[in-house]
């Protein structure tokens, strides 16, 4: 994530200017979620958020054969975030890199508090996130899709984790940054929450926000999460309702 620091960084964050794609400061990109799109996975989901197209597949809970990873009293939630070479303008070199390792790790950390891992000792639950097309905010979109895929797999959970970013672009605090806002903006702050309690399971921040802007971004991201959560419920009900 590249942050270009401009003198707008210290502005008040009052919503004035129009966003590049014409959205209001508190508006999400169009979102679509479908559960149960893959036959061979135990659970799956497909998500579109603006120009992001993401598939999530879940396998397990199943026996974990790698002894050094095994936990005697709970399952491990292994996540693999991967970007397809054709998902971005400049061809992405296939295979893991520092960014995908980081996103895989924070995805597992964002989802784990919601899963009753203690019900499945010595097991693994494997979550695969494949980014088919990327347009900013793929880590959040991936977590949101993975959570629906976990529910689709029937994995017992406290809540359906949902994720969304807010940040600062062109001098104003905005919800759900697009790729251009992410790259040229002043700050990006992805969060994930368990919506029933509002408990935060992920909070990252890249760039500069004043404490006032931080509060405002958190508020926007929380509200964004609640809206996306409704779409997750619709996707699950659409499959089983
Ligand atoms: N991106 C890219 N090439 C890469 C990695 C990322 O073009 O190798 C783009 C992609 O659109 C991504 C955006 O940059 O969504 C922002 O990436 P970041 O690392 O901030 O993660 P994200 O916002 O996707 O969670």
């Amino acid at each position: 994530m590249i942050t270009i620091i401009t003198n707008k960084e210290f502005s008040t964050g009052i919503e004035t200017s129009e966003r590049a794609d014409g959205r209001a400061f508190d508006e999400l990109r169009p979102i679509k979620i479908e559960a149960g799109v893959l036959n061979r996975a135990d659970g799956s989901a497909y998500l579109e958020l603006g120009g992001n197209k993401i598939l999530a597949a879940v396998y397990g809970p199943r026996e974990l054969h790698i002894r050094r990873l095994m936990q005697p009293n709970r399952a491990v939630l292994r996540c693999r975030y991967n970007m397809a070479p054709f998902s971005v303008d400049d061809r992405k070199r296939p295979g893991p890199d520092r960014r995908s390792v980081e996103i895989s790790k924070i995805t597992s950390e964002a989802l784990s508090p919601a899963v009753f891992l203690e019900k499945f000792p010595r097991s693994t639950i494997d979550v695969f996130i494949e980014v088919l097309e990327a347009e900013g905010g793929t880590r959040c979109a991936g977590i949101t899709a993975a959570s629906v895929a976990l529910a689709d797999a029937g994995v017992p959970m406290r809540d359906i984790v949902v994720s969304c970013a807010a940040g600062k672009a062109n001098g104003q605090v905005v919800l759900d940054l697009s790729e251009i806002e992410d790259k040229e903006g002043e700050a990006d702050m992805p969060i994930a929450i368990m919506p029933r309690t509002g408990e935060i399971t992920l909070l990252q921040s890249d760039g500069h926000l004043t404490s006032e802007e931080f509060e405002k971004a958190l508020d926007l991201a929380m509200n964004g999460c609640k809206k996306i959560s409704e779409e997750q419920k619709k996707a699950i009900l659409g499959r089983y309702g």
Side-chain angles (χ1 to χ4, degrees):
M1 199 180 312
I2 300 164
T3 305
I4 298 171
I5 298 170
T6 69
N7 56 7
K8 286 182 187 144
E9 192 187 322
F10 301 107
S11 73
T12 56
I14 294 165
E15 309 76 31
T16 47
S17 53
E18 174 130 328
R19 295 172 75 175
D21 54 11
R23 275 185 291 152
F25 75 98
D26 60 350
E27 194 177 339
L28 289 168
R29 288 171 286 181
I31 183 165
K32 180 180 128 181
I33 312 177
E34 196 180 337
V37 292
L38 301 172
N39 289 332
R40 294 206 172 93
D42 293 321
S44 59
Y46 173 70
L47 180 148
E48 288 182 5
L49 176 69
N52 292 306
K53 295 186 176 165
I54 294 181
L55 261 179
V58 168
Y59 295 82
R62 60 186 178 182
E63 200 179 332
L64 179 56
H65 296 289
I66 308 169
R67 281 193 157 271
R68 71 187 157 79
L69 296 181
M70 197 186 278
Q71 296 292 327
N73 52 357
R74 64 176 180 90
V76 292
L77 187 72
R78 294 192 295 184
C79 297
R80 193 196 71 170
Y81 165 101
N82 182 55
M83 262 184 148
F86 50 81
S87 65
V88 285
D89 282 339
D90 297 327
R91 177 182 176 275
K92 151 87 174 61
R93 201 168 159 216
D97 52 24
R98 280 178 56 163
R99 178 177 172 275
S100 67
V101 169
E102 179 236 339
I103 296 179
S104 299
K105 179 176 182 287
I106 60 102
T107 298
S108 171
E109 289 168 0
L111 294 170
S112 289
V115 181
F116 287 105
L117 294 171
E118 60 279 11
K119 286 191 186 289
F120 307 100
R122 307 148 79 87
S123 306
T124 179
I125 300 169
D126 293 324
V127 177
F128 296 90
I129 294 166
E130 295 291 326
V131 179
L132 308 176
E133 277 184 19
E135 199 229 339
T138 58
R139 74 192 62 210
C140 296
I143 291 167
T144 298
S147 201
V148 174
L150 282 165
D152 183 46
V155 172
M157 289 192 287
R158 292 176 179 84
D159 204 352
I160 312 280
V161 172
V162 56
S163 180
C164 180
K168 190 177 172 191
N170 203 15
Q172 65 175 339
V173 179
V174 292
L175 177 65
D176 184 29
L177 281 77
S178 65
E179 184 177 66
I180 183 97
E181 288 174 328
D182 186 334
K183 286 189 172 158
E184 295 183 3
E186 296 91 294
D188 182 27
M189 193 178 82
I191 69 162
I193 63 167
M194 294 202 267
R196 274 197 304 144
T197 58
E199 198 178 320
I200 294 173
T201 63
L202 169 76
L203 197 158
Q204 295 187 292
S205 185
D206 182 4
H208 298 267
L209 293 170
T210 63
S211 53
E212 195 186 322
E213 288 165 349
F214 170 82
E215 294 286 346
K216 195 166 179 180
L218 188 58
D219 204 38
L220 274 183
M222 283 282 196
N223 281 323
C225 280
K226 282 178 193 150
K227 287 184 197 150
I228 296 173
S229 169
E230 294 305 313
E231 298 303 316
Q232 289 177 306
K233 282 184 211 151
K234 275 191 220 160
I236 294 161
L237 282 173
R239 177 136 160 86
Y240 295 103

